[in-house]
């Protein structure tokens, strides 16, 4: 396009412009406005006109392409257009400008008019955005909460805390994996997939869960997780915020264990068994299924304690517990009822079978020999067996029937099993 412009019009048009304009022939400036001059650190357009060559303002490695483009456009081989150049100001600082070329007539001859557009406001905005992204990154990286963004479990972003929580060397190592599903314990996969779909479909705003994670070395980590949908490069994806609650979880498990298990024998304690017995009793009554209970009392325990000491008494209690566990099924329950008294619960077991199990345990106990500092010690147990029948209306009755049978076993000479009548 050939545009005719007089120097006066040029002056009026460009002097207050946000663009800088230069007109040149073979890179010798014929005219430059003050804006153009200022981009390059000069005072006025006249300073540019005084330069030997405009190539001084272009990065040396771009000289050749600038010259070729000039020749092609001036000869009509190439249409004038928009390009970007790396320019150099008076102080040697490099900056990138957008240039728009026009072929014009200047004082009767063709010349090249270049309008340069100052990209610095955009560059500044970009720089500020980058700075704010860096601040965000610092904030996120400084967070003790693990933060991860994923799309259908493919990681898009994660902070140091998240990578560390899962035992990765750094966040990049975690970002290299294709899916975070292997970092979730398999029993939680189905739930994780359902939650992911519900969040992406907008059925839920956020989901808070506790889940078990698998670290890079295969060990487990307990997490409190908040998942919510976020926009990420124009896409709806999931942001996960996770807290490592392994310590709290272990503490909770320990407290739960302490509340339900006896500290010495690690058998269920009386409180836990009372609850369990109520449930079993109701279930077996409803389903008319056989349920038996065996009350067990170690014989002459006071004498053992007196003769060998309390610590040997404790060892016997532990040995009894271990032996009992070996002699019952997984579905049976053994509990320390108190002192040297124990209760065995045998679900879905009729009285004949229960008597057989009790006899077998009684024999096994009687055969045990515990070494002490003063030779070996033998011990025995007496047992009373009761079963759920039509006239057993509650748990207490089931236990008291077993207790009566146990009393008879003691009365008959101990180290024996008596079945409640
Ligand atoms: N070592 C030890 N002894 C305990 C523990 N709990 C209860 N005992 C003791 O168990 C003994 C039970 O004594 P008794 O109730 O008289 O019964 P026994 O000596 O076994 O007599 P029989 O039941 O008639 O055979 C008491 O001396 C309690 O101190 C315990 O945790 N460890």
């Amino acid at each position: 396009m050939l545009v005719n412009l007089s120097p006066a019009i040029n002056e009026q048009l460009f002097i207050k412009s946000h663009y800088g304009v230069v007109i040149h022939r073979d890179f010798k400036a014929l005219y430059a406005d003050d804006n153009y001059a200022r981009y390059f650190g000069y005072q006025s357009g006249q300073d540019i006109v005084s330069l030997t060559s405009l190539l001084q303002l272009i990065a040396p490695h771009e000289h050749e392409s600038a010259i070729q483009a000039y020749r092609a456009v001036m000869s009509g081989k190439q249409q004038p257009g928009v390009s970007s150049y790396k320019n150099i100001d008076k102080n040697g600082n490099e900056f990138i400008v957008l240039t728009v070329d026009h072929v014009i007539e200047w004082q009767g001859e063709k010349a090249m008019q270049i309008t340069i557009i100052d990209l610095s406001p955009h560059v500044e905005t970009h720089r500020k955005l980058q700075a704010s992204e860096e601040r965000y990154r610092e904030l996120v990286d400084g967070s003790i909460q693990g933060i991860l963004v994923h799309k259908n479990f493919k990681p898009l972003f994660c902070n140091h805390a998240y990578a560390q929580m899962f035992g990765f060397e750094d966040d990049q190592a975690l970002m290299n994996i294709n899916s975070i599903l292997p970092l979730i314990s398999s029993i939680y996969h189905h739930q994780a997939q359902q939650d992911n779909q519900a969040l992406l479909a907008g059925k839920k705003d956020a989901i808070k869960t506790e889940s078990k994670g698998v670290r890079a070395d295969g060990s487990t980590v307990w997490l409190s997780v908040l998942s919510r949908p976020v926009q990420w490069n124009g896409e709806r994806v999931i942001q996960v915020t996770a807290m490592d609650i392994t310590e709290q979880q272990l503490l909770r498990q320990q407290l739960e264990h302490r509340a339900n298990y006896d500290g010495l024998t690690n058998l269920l304690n009386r409180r836990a068994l009372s609850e369990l017995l109520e449930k079993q009793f109701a279930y077996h009554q409803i389903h008319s299924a056989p349920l038996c209970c065996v009350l067990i009392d170690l014989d002459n325990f006071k004498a053992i304690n007196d003769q060998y000491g309390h610590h040997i008494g404790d060892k016997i209690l532990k040995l009894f517990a271990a032996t009992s566990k070996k002699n019952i099924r997984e579905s049976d329950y053994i509990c320390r009822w108190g002192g040297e008294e124990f209760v065995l619960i045998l679900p879905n077991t009729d009285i004949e079978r229960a008597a057989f199990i009790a006899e077998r345990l009684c024999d096994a106990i009687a055969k045990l020999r515990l070494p002490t500092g003063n030779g070996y010690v033998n011990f025995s147990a007496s047992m009373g067996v009761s079963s759920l029948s039509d006239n057993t209306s509650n748990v207490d009755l089931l236990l008291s029937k077993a207790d009566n049978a146990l009393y008879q076993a003691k009365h008959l000479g101990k180290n024996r099993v008596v079945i409640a009548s």
Side-chain angles (χ1 to χ4, degrees), residues 268-270 296-297 317 335-343:
L268 285 171
N269 63 18
R270 187 172 186 139
I296 305 167
D297 189 283
L317 292 170
C335 126
R336 188 175 181 196
W337 199 241
E340 45 15 312
E341 229 181 345
F342 299 86
V343 175

Side-chain angles (χ1 to χ4, degrees), residues 297-302 305 310 314 336 339 410 414:
D297 189 283
L298 300 191
D299 298 327
N300 311 315
F301 205 60
K302 184 175 182 319
N305 266 335
H310 217 258
D314 284 356
R336 188 175 181 196
K410 290 276 185 189
K414 308 182 183 179

Side-chain angles (χ1 to χ4, degrees), residues 211-411:
S211 102
K212 196 166 147 189
V214 182
R215 291 161 55 87
D217 65 0
S219 59
T220 53
V221 55
W222 279 98
L223 301 168
S224 169
V225 177
L226 177 74
S227 305
R228 61 188 193 90
V230 291
Q231 285 297 320
W232 184 268
N233 294 336
E235 278 190 299
R236 196 175 166 87
V237 297
I238 305 299
Q239 178 184 294
V240 176
T241 311
M243 279 284 279
D244 185 342
I245 53 159
T246 309
E247 266 182 42
Q248 292 97 307
Q249 189 72 10
L250 288 178
L251 195 68
R252 196 161 75 190
Q253 281 170 0
Q254 276 172 9
L255 289 176
E256 262 173 28
H257 190 86
R258 235 177 268 170
N260 292 315
Y261 288 82
D262 168 50
L264 181 71
T265 60
N266 208 24
L267 296 180
L268 285 171
N269 63 18
R270 187 172 186 139
R271 195 195 70 80
L273 197 94
S274 297
E275 267 177 33
L276 184 95
L277 202 49
E278 288 286 355
K279 282 186 197 153
Q280 292 288 335
F281 186 85
Y283 177 88
H284 286 78
Q285 265 204 330
I286 291 166
H287 295 91
S288 302
L291 171 72
C292 281
C293 155
V294 183
L295 206 58
I296 305 167
D297 189 283
L298 300 191
D299 298 327
N300 311 315
F301 205 60
K302 184 175 182 319
I304 293 173
N305 266 335
D306 290 349
Q307 189 179 343
Y308 296 96
H310 217 258
H311 68 289
I312 293 295
D314 284 356
K315 280 190 176 175
I316 287 180
L317 292 170
K318 285 192 201 174
L319 186 57
F320 170 80
T323 312
S324 305
K325 278 190 197 162
K326 274 190 219 154
N327 277 274
I328 60 174
R329 300 166 302 184
E330 287 252 337
S331 52
D332 300 332
Y333 303 94
I334 174 94
C335 126
R336 188 175 181 196
W337 199 241
E340 45 15 312
E341 229 181 345
F342 299 86
V343 175
L344 188 56
I345 303 293
L346 305 166
N348 300 315
T349 309
D350 60 26
I351 193 78
E352 289 80 19
R353 181 78 194 151
F356 172 79
I357 293 168
E359 289 283 3
R360 190 178 63 192
L361 179 60
C362 197
D363 288 350
I365 298 296
K367 282 186 190 133
L368 294 171
R369 274 155 51 92
L370 181 80
T372 72
N374 194 14
Y376 285 91
V377 59
N378 288 80
F379 61 101
S380 64
S382 298
M383 307 187 187
V385 187
S386 70
S387 74
L388 187 66
S389 61
D390 294 345
N391 59 3
T392 320
S393 54
N394 58 48
V395 169
D396 289 343
L397 202 56
L398 183 70
L399 283 170
S400 83
K401 277 164 64 181
D403 197 29
N404 286 339
L406 172 62
Y407 178 79
Q408 282 179 48
K410 290 276 185 189
H411 191 68

